[in-house]
């Protein structure tokens, strides 16, 4: 079995002209993308009023998932880091607008202009440090922060992901919650090794009754009840309801802030270009209690 694409090379390198064309011409990939996009659109839960929405397709590739959005009557904007993928999307004359960019550096869209967002098999790429300047935690923060700002209040984002392990799943979910999203993870077919799919369902705004996380699909294709999965190690829906719990007060020791802390802060100020007194043996030494 081949290795995961994100472990082989950065996306802009892995999806070159040859790989991008092979990906887009695969009937199996086309079917999978269509099914995942339909499910993501279903989880977006857009109002059924016949009004087209402006949606964002993050990691749009050659526009396979965007075609599902167009077929459902919506307008869309696609973002991808691979020039080869976007070139094929232009050849295929997709109906959406295409942007070349790195989602790990932020989306660069105006605040509140997007009604909803989907992403198919893209966000887990941010968990890898492909360059020495890449810090996954900071890239996820930049991505989710810009996504939160560009969504309309109450808008949803449904991100289908393939986390490599539990740590990646928790890192992605925690990064989303820290910028203000509410929501959780929806798992379809949790007991199937092949059909199992994870969707991060996020709502722009604080938790409420309308922002409750949908349930995942079971083996029969229908939504499974909570009773069936209550005893399982991994539930089909993982909700984060205590996101706004008060933070624990930091314990203040009698020693206070030591020499290492002072040296670290001085070094940070030097990097910013501030004038900082030189370090000596007296740095951070406690003064005697007399004048």
């Amino acid at each position: 079995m081949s290795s995961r694409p994100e472990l082989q090379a950065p996306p802009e390198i892995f999806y070159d002209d040859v790989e991008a064309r092979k990906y887009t011409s695969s009937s199996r990939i086309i079917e999978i993308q269509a099914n995942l996009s339909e499910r993501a659109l279903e989880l977006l839960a857009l109002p059924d009023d016949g009004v087209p929405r402006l949606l964002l397709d993050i990691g749009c590739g050659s526009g396979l998932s965007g075609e599902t959005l167009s077929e459902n009557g919506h307008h869309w904007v696609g973002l991808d880091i691979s020039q080869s993928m976007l070139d094929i999307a232009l050849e295929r004359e997709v109906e959406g607008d295409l942007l070349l960019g790195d989602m790990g550096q932020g989306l660069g869209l105006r605040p509140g202009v997007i009604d909803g967002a989907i992403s198919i098999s893209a966000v887990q790429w941010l968990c890898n440090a492909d360059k020495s300047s890449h810090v996954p935690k900071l890239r996820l923060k930049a991505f989710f922060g810009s996504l939160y700002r560009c969504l309309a209040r109450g808008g949803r984002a449904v991100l289908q992901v393939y986390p490599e392990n539990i740590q990646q799943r928790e890192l992605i979910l925690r990064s989303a919650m820290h910028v203000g999203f509410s929501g959780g993870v929806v798992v379809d077919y949790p007991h199937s090794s092949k059909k199992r799919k994870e969707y991060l369902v996020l709502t722009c705004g604080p938790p409420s009754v309308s922002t409750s996380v949908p349930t995942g699909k079971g083996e029969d294709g229908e939504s499974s009840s909570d009773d069936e999965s209550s005893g399982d190690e991994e539930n089909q829906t993982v909700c984060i309801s205590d996101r706004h719990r008060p933070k624990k007060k930091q314990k203040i020791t009698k020693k206070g802030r030591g020499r290492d802390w002072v040296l670290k802060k001085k070094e940070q100020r030097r990097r910013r270009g501030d004038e900082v007194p030189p370090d000596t043996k007296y740095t951070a030494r406690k003064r005697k209690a007399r004048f």
Side-chain angles (χ1 to χ4, degrees):
M1 182 176 179
S2 60
S3 177
R4 297 166 64 99
E6 58 267 26
L7 299 181
Q8 298 183 37
E12 65 273 25
I13 296 176
F14 180 83
Y15 288 109
D16 55 12
D17 292 342
V18 176
E19 191 66 30
R21 198 165 296 279
K22 182 167 63 175
Y23 184 93
T24 308
S25 60
S26 170
S27 58
R28 174 177 168 273
I29 293 295
I30 293 174
E31 181 182 1
I32 291 175
Q33 282 279 347
N35 293 336
L36 294 177
S37 303
E38 285 285 356
R39 177 59 171 154
L41 196 57
E42 177 186 345
L43 292 172
L44 271 184
L46 296 170
D48 189 15
D49 53 8
V51 178
R53 261 63 185 188
L54 178 60
L55 305 179
L56 177 64
D57 185 3
I58 304 162
C60 65
S62 55
L64 296 179
S65 51
E67 288 183 342
T68 300
L69 304 181
S70 298
E71 290 170 0
N72 282 270
H74 299 294
H75 307 296
W76 58 279
V77 176
L79 174 78
D80 204 275
I81 195 173
S82 170
Q83 182 66 61
S84 299
M85 280 289 201
L86 295 179
D87 288 342
I88 294 179
L90 290 174
E91 289 179 14
R92 299 175 65 244
E93 298 182 350
V94 296
E95 297 182 17
D97 296 322
L98 304 174
L99 299 174
L100 176 66
D102 179 6
M103 60 180 170
Q105 296 182 354
L107 301 177
L109 298 173
R110 292 175 58 186
V113 299
I114 301 297
D115 298 312
I118 70 167
S119 178
I120 307 299
S121 313
V123 176
Q124 72 271 3
W125 288 82
L126 293 178
C127 296
N128 298 318
D130 296 319
K131 300 178 181 177
S132 59
S133 60
H134 285 182
V135 180
K137 185 176 180 180
L138 297 181
R139 286 170 60 76
L140 284 165
K141 179 181 178 181
F143 165 65
F144 282 114
S146 60
L147 177 60
Y148 187 92
R149 289 189 294 272
C150 75
L151 281 174
R153 186 70 171 176
R156 266 189 179 179
V158 177
L159 315 174
Q160 187 271 323
V161 294
Y162 289 110
E164 186 178 6
N165 47 47
I166 295 176
Q167 289 74 24
Q168 277 196 5
R169 182 188 299 115
E170 291 177 348
L171 175 62
I172 294 172
L173 184 58
R174 186 168 60 248
S175 300
M177 298 300 156
H178 280 177
V179 303
F181 278 112
S182 58
V185 179
V186 174
V187 182
D188 286 351
Y189 311 106
H191 307 298
S192 173
S193 59
K194 292 184 177 180
K195 297 178 66 177
R196 177 189 173 95
K197 295 293 182 292
E198 296 187 20
Y199 299 85
L200 188 59
V201 182
L202 305 172
T203 303
C204 183
S208 65
V209 176
S210 61
T211 63
S212 59
V213 181
T215 51
K217 289 184 177 181
E219 294 299 329
D220 56 356
E222 300 296 331
S223 297
S224 299
S225 63
D226 293 335
D227 296 336
E228 295 176 357
S229 58
S230 58
D232 296 333
E233 182 179 353
E234 288 184 306
N235 291 337
Q236 296 169 1
T237 304
V238 182
C239 298
I240 305 298
S241 57
D242 57 343
R243 184 169 60 86
H244 296 290
R245 62 185 182 276
K247 295 182 178 180
K248 294 181 179 179
K249 294 183 179 179
Q250 295 182 349
K251 294 182 179 179
I252 302 176
T253 61
K254 293 182 179 179
K255 294 182 180 179
R257 293 165 175 169
R259 178 181 172 83
D260 292 340
W261 182 88
V262 173
L263 293 176
K264 180 181 176 182
K265 289 298 180 182
K266 291 178 72 175
E267 185 61 31
Q268 288 178 353
R269 292 184 60 189
R270 288 192 185 99
R271 291 198 209 100
R272 293 199 301 263
D274 298 341
E275 292 186 8
V276 181
D279 301 334
T280 68
K281 65 179 181 179
Y282 300 106
T283 300
R285 180 178 292 186
K286 187 176 181 181
R287 295 177 181 272
K288 293 182 180 181
R290 69 166 183 259
F291 291 98

